[in-house]
Amino acid sequence: MKILLKGGRVVSGQGSRPADVLLDGETVAAVEECLSTEGTQVVDCAGKLLFPGFIDGHTHFDLEVGGTITADDFATGSRAALRGGTTTVIDFAAPDKGEPLAAGLARWRGKAEGRCACDYGFHMTIDDWNGGISQEIGEMVALGIPSFKMYMTYPAMMIGEGDMYRALLRLKEAGGIAGVHCENDGVIRALVEEAKAAGRLSPGSHPRTRPAPLEAEAVGHLLRLAQVADVPVIVVHLSARESLEEVRAARQRGQTVYVETCPHYLLLSDSLYDQEEFMEAAKFVCAPPLRKREDTEELWKALKAGEIDTVATDHCPFTTAQKRAGQYDFTKIPGGLPGVEHRGLLLYSYGVKQGRIDEGDMCRVLCENPAKLYGCWPEKGVIAPGSDGDIVVWDPEARGVITAADQAQNTDYTPYENWETQGAVEQVYLRGSLAVDRGRVLAGMEGKFIKRRNLL
Ligand code: MN
């Protein structure tokens, strides 16, 4: 039976307007005021906002790092995503160094197929460079993977600047785009050596060994390579004001640069690392690290101004037991924060309700822009006739509190414990089916691999 979401306000990047939404099968059949209720199951949405299903362009489910594995696999992570209104995730498939890209893709498809409750895609990690991989880039694009990831830090993943340049050129030819983790690896390693030699082994050393100028330097470095290769690039998880200045300079030169940030860089700051109790500080270890209050405020302004294109989570969850591996050496703390479940709630509570952004901005960075950037528009990212029936029914008046006890994420903590929230997900539809109802996840493991294409 057709479902009619009646009497709500439909949100797009431009703002919201009153409209009913008719779902027929897996797609949106109509979006208009006062649609007929005949032959439909009516859902009263009076007073509610209807967002397109949120897209999280940066998650790490079931990822082995540093001898451990992220606490969420595709099953638990995708349920948590849905519960927070995210109907599509784009995770990172990675070959081991020396393997073909196809081996990485096969492994990640194996982790996700039949085990994912929301729709999903993969970015392909380029952590090696040779003729075979160059050729495979075209094959990946043809398979629906037009986005790639490269690293300027982590020796296991880096390919060096000459090969980065070659990869950027090849991506241009094949119709792909790269997202890049920007931090200056060599100087970070030198700072870590200094800290260790001085016996500064607590989590307080984490942000001090990865300072903002070393992110900005890498952003600038990448953007100069992209200038010479004449290609657009994505700076993922941008955290610092100085990095934004590098992006502005490149845009001033006429380059196309896309910027992603994450809720934790908008909301948390590096004073958390100086907490006395090891675990209280270790919980927040991620790379790049949390920055200063001045940085978070600058990121909000950039978000409002349209200088930041997407907000993704970089969901890379570990339990406190896993974090304890670094009790006597901060470099052994597995890096990453949980967040896939709370992104919409945080942006609404601390962005929209506090007047830093409006609901249209929220829709741009969670829905429209990621759909366009990652090549699944207009199936995803918009509520329009013909689009997938991915809808978040949002109650703007709800109030709540974030706690680990009430999360579906498979970790025993949240960085936002006891944070008060305004607004809430009331229902989520995934391709026309009710997937979440008032906190209860109803969806089975019916998430589909999304074949994406280059729209840029
Ligand atoms: Mn990441």
Side-chain angles (χ1 to χ4, degrees):
M1 191 184 225
K2 295 177 187 176
I3 298 171
L4 184 64
L5 306 173
K6 191 151 191 61
R9 296 182 66 84
V10 169
V11 187
S12 75
Q14 272 71 56
S16 68
R17 65 188 167 101
D20 301 339
V21 176
L22 182 66
L23 301 175
D24 186 2
E26 294 207 334
T27 57
V28 174
V31 186
E32 278 169 55
E33 276 191 82
C34 303
L35 285 170
S36 162
T37 59
E38 208 182 305
T40 69
Q41 177 200 328
V42 178
V43 179
D44 178 12
C45 293
K48 307 295 192 284
L49 296 172
L50 304 180
F51 283 95
F54 305 146
I55 299 165
D56 193 338
H58 196 149
T59 63
H60 297 285
F61 297 155
D62 208 352
L63 173 70
E64 287 177 59
V65 258
T68 190
I69 188 155
T70 50
D72 275 304
D73 60 12
F74 278 81
T76 62
S78 62
R79 288 170 60 87
L82 276 178
R83 202 163 178 256
T86 294
T87 50
T88 303
V89 298
I90 311 176
D91 206 89
F92 293 83
D96 289 335
K97 244 192 168 83
E99 278 185 342
L101 301 182
L105 178 59
R107 198 151 55 240
W108 255 265
R109 291 196 81 144
K111 291 171 193 264
E113 268 168 15
R115 299 178 194 182
C116 195
C118 67
D119 284 349
Y120 61 94
F122 301 112
H123 309 289
M124 178 52 64
T125 303
I126 300 172
D127 56 12
D128 206 350
W129 190 251
N130 55 51
I133 287 174
S134 174
Q135 176 162 344
E136 275 190 291
I137 283 181
E139 293 161 20
M140 289 297 137
V141 173
L143 288 169
I145 300 172
S147 50
F148 295 77
K149 173 82 176 279
M150 292 194 279
Y151 289 84
M152 298 175 82
T153 186
Y154 307 129
M157 315 294 271
M158 293 160 59
I159 60 173
E161 56 196 334
D163 284 340
M164 254 179 77
Y165 167 76
R166 291 182 185 99
L168 290 174
L169 277 188
R170 174 65 184 130
L171 289 175
K172 176 163 78 168
E173 183 182 62
I177 189 164
V180 182
H181 181 139
C182 298
E183 285 187 289
N184 180 306
D185 187 69
V187 181
I188 288 171
R189 274 189 284 157
L191 288 172
V192 166
E193 252 174 53
E194 278 175 36
K196 284 188 166 181
R200 294 192 301 266
L201 295 172
S202 74
S205 287
H206 176 67
R208 293 175 176 86
T209 55
R210 312 185 83 98
L214 294 186
E215 177 185 305
E217 187 279 334
V219 170
H221 199 136
L222 167 71
L223 296 181
R224 287 300 186 179
L225 301 189
Q227 181 186 18
V228 175
D230 188 25
V231 289
V233 282
I234 306 165
V235 177
V236 297
H237 52 49
L238 181 138
S239 71
R241 184 183 51 75
E242 287 103 315
S243 305
L244 216 42
E245 286 169 7
E246 296 293 332
V247 171
R248 287 175 183 141
R251 285 175 174 162
Q252 207 85 55
R253 299 193 286 268
Q255 290 182 243
T256 301
V257 185
Y258 299 97
V259 175
E260 170 196 277
T261 192
C262 311
H264 44 283
Y265 300 123
L266 290 162
L267 293 168
L268 304 173
S269 73
D270 64 0
S271 59
L272 291 163
Y273 297 119
D274 287 326
Q275 297 179 91
E276 201 64 31
E277 220 277 294
F278 166 79
M279 192 54 71
E280 286 311 307
K283 280 176 182 176
F284 299 98
V285 168
C286 57
L290 303 175
R291 305 296 188 191
K292 309 276 179 220
R293 272 290 155 227
E294 302 90 87
D295 294 284
T296 65
E297 287 312 314
E298 186 76 8
L299 292 183
W300 278 114
K301 283 187 209 147
L303 200 59
K304 180 67 203 170
E307 293 181 297
I308 292 175
D309 300 283
T310 67
V311 176
T313 60
D314 199 2
H315 179 79
C316 191
F318 297 100
T319 62
T320 54
Q322 288 175 297
K323 291 272 184 186
R324 203 162 296 280
Q327 187 145 24
Y328 305 106
D329 176 354
F330 71 97
T331 63
K332 298 201 165 68
I333 302 168
L337 302 187
V340 75
E341 189 166 345
H342 297 129
R343 181 179 55 141
L345 195 52
L346 290 166
L347 270 198
Y348 195 79
S349 302
Y350 294 92
V352 176
K353 282 288 189 179
Q354 297 199 354
R356 289 156 152 166
I357 56 172
D358 61 33
E359 56 210 26
D361 300 321
M362 175 164 153
C363 185
R364 265 192 305 111
V365 297
L366 297 192
C367 312
E368 273 191 17
N369 288 348
K372 290 175 178 169
L373 178 59
Y374 293 125
C376 51
W377 170 278
E379 306 90 280
K380 308 291 190 190
V382 60
I383 301 176
S387 294
D388 285 355
D390 299 348
I391 314 280
V392 182
V393 178
W394 189 268
D395 178 358
E397 300 308 324
R399 286 178 177 259
V401 177
I402 294 176
T403 63
D406 175 53
Q407 70 184 358
Q409 297 175 143
N410 192 32
T411 56
D412 56 346
Y413 81 96
T414 154
Y416 311 99
E417 186 71 21
N418 287 325
W419 281 41
E420 291 181 9
T421 57
Q422 297 184 61
V425 171
E426 186 161 289
Q427 290 189 322
V428 180
Y429 293 83
L430 174 66
R431 280 179 283 107
S433 295
L434 184 61
V436 177
D437 191 19
R438 292 166 184 82
R440 279 201 315 137
V441 180
L442 308 173
M445 294 298 149
E446 280 134 32
K448 234 176 43 176
F449 173 74
I450 302 298
K451 204 171 166 197
R452 298 175 294 116
R453 61 208 177 275
N454 190 324
L455 298 172
L456 304 173

